[in-house]
Amino acid sequence: MAEDPVCGMEVDENQTKHSIQHRGKMYYFCASRCKDSFEKNPERYLKVLKMEHGDERKVAIVGTGQVGSTFAFALMISGLATSIVLIDQARALAEGHVMDLNHSLSFVQPSNIYVGDYPDCKDASMVVVTAGASQKPGETRLDLVRRNTDIFKKVIPQIVEHNPRMLVIVSNPVDVLTYVALKLSEYPMNRVIGSGTVLDTARFRSLLSRHCQVDPRNVHAYIIGEHGDSEVPVWSQVNIGAVAFREYCPVCQRDCPQDERDEIFNQVKNAAYEIIKRKGATNFAIGLSLVRIAESILRDENSILTVSTLLDSYYDISDVCLSIPVILNRDGVSKTLKIVLDKSEIASLQASAKVLKDVIKSLGV
Ligand SMILES: NC(=O)c1ccc[n+]([C@@H]2O[C@H](COP(=O)([O-])OP(=O)(O)OC[C@H]3O[C@@H](n4cnc5c(N)ncnc54)[C@H](O)[C@@H]3O)[C@@H](O)[C@H]2O)c1
């Protein structure tokens, strides 16, 4: 087995059709996309392979509004990061958050929390990007796309100039912006992820847990596809503990007709609209979703999470970022998992991909 120098995935030298000789050495690739990236700039990827990270647990947060600041607070409490740097064009806002967070340090594990600028992304294990406009009441995530793409065109090149290990995109529409960030950064595909449907999956588990009256940690269920209106609940794979969802009804002895399932999913899908209508923004559950992603990356956990990632021939879907279950560790996405879907779920996932591809096409990136 060889290591693809672009994405870091294992490649069987005898099976892959993609290889190049560079300076007398053979390099093998998992897909033509990685080979093309390598051909354009081999030294860049050889440098990434050799990159040393002095501070393994430095997290940079670009955009310190509702989401960025709540993530910073939750991350500080978690004790996962040794350094947290806050970057925002509204520097006074970032400064205020840093003062407030530092005043909490006698209650938590020590960490170095400071206001920074783009050069502070150097040596970061991950840069979490929450900069940008957020939804106004009634606005969809896709309505934000042009405004936030323009912001990304300014922000992403300034971040990658300092070569942090990984980008985690949160700004909406998160799947489209993950794709935009991947293009702008020219990073390997495994090192640019979106928070995707980690939040929606948590919402789904929370509602199912209430319905089934069981601890949410024992609900195994996934939302895949777009983080948005075309997202897909994978009902066929829902498990309560070790019991398949359809077998669970006799256990909780509550009827669970189709319209009740539809209601659960609608609450998941419309959660952001309902919360924004009431309090103007969502911040707590996304803050903890980001801590969970950070945990898997910083502690090299190989956790299975539904982050947004570039797909290549996944149920015939390619060249679009959306969420499916992946294994996530300090190098980013190490494997994508082919979740078994029924026919209607496959059709819904493909429809979700089409929605996102159409938006990407309209942007011309
Ligand atoms: N992916 C998810 O699950 C999820 C969940 C909630 C919110 N979001 C998205 O996250 C983003 C942030 O939401 P919010 O509620 O924190 O918004 P917010 O308006 O409170 O904060 C945005 C911050 O970005 C900063 N900013 C804007 N342009 C910048 C630039 N060029 N450089 C640096 N900083 C810049 C602003 O100064 C502001 O502090 C939105 O796009 C929102 O839709 C995503």
Side-chain angles (χ1 to χ4, degrees), residues 116-137:
D117 215 327
Y118 292 103
D120 295 291
C121 294
K122 184 172 183 291
D123 294 334
S125 309
M126 54 192 280
V127 177
V128 178
V129 186
T130 76
S134 56
Q135 284 165 269
K136 304 281 170 289

Side-chain angles (χ1 to χ4, degrees), residues 61-69 86-89 93 128-132:
I61 304 173
V62 179
T64 61
Q66 294 284 348
V67 174
S69 61
L86 270 57
I87 301 167
D88 198 296
Q89 67 177 12
L93 176 72
V128 178
V129 186
T130 76

Side-chain angles (χ1 to χ4, degrees), residues 203-334:
R203 287 174 171 153
F204 193 33
R205 292 178 182 190
S206 158
L207 291 171
L208 282 171
S209 84
R210 274 216 241 154
H211 179 82
C212 299
Q213 296 172 344
V214 70
D215 183 339
R217 292 169 299 182
N218 296 122
V219 177
H220 308 287
Y222 297 92
I223 299 282
I224 59 173
E226 179 198 3
H227 166 61
D229 297 343
S230 71
E231 66 191 27
V232 182
V234 188
W235 285 106
S236 67
Q237 295 294 338
V238 174
N239 277 274
I240 309 297
V243 182
F245 186 63
R246 62 186 171 282
E247 310 293 339
Y248 194 77
C249 292
V251 178
C252 83
Q253 297 191 328
R254 286 180 63 197
D255 195 17
C256 188
Q258 184 61 42
D259 57 354
E260 209 157 321
R261 292 185 191 198
D262 293 345
E263 176 54 24
I264 289 173
F265 174 55
N266 283 333
Q267 283 185 38
V268 172
K269 192 171 63 173
N270 298 325
Y273 298 119
E274 293 300 323
I275 296 169
I276 289 169
K277 210 172 12 176
R278 289 165 173 80
K279 63 175 230 176
T282 63
N283 58 329
F284 295 129
I286 179 63
L288 279 181
S289 302
L290 293 170
V291 170
R292 183 66 194 92
I293 291 170
E295 187 178 38
S296 187
I297 293 170
L298 299 176
R299 300 186 64 220
D300 199 21
E301 285 183 345
N302 287 315
S303 305
I304 295 174
L305 293 169
T306 50
V307 296
S308 189
T309 186
L310 186 76
L311 297 196
D312 185 19
S313 307
Y314 190 92
Y315 283 108
D316 296 328
I317 302 168
S318 295
D319 200 31
V320 64
C321 292
L322 49 71
S323 291
I324 53 162
V326 306
I327 297 181
L328 189 65
N329 62 29
R330 70 186 289 274
D331 292 322
V333 173
S334 76

Side-chain angles (χ1 to χ4, degrees), residues 77-97:
I77 294 172
S78 75
L80 283 167
T82 48
S83 300
I84 305 174
V85 55
L86 270 57
I87 301 167
D88 198 296
Q89 67 177 12
R91 192 172 169 94
L93 176 72
E95 281 171 356
H97 287 315

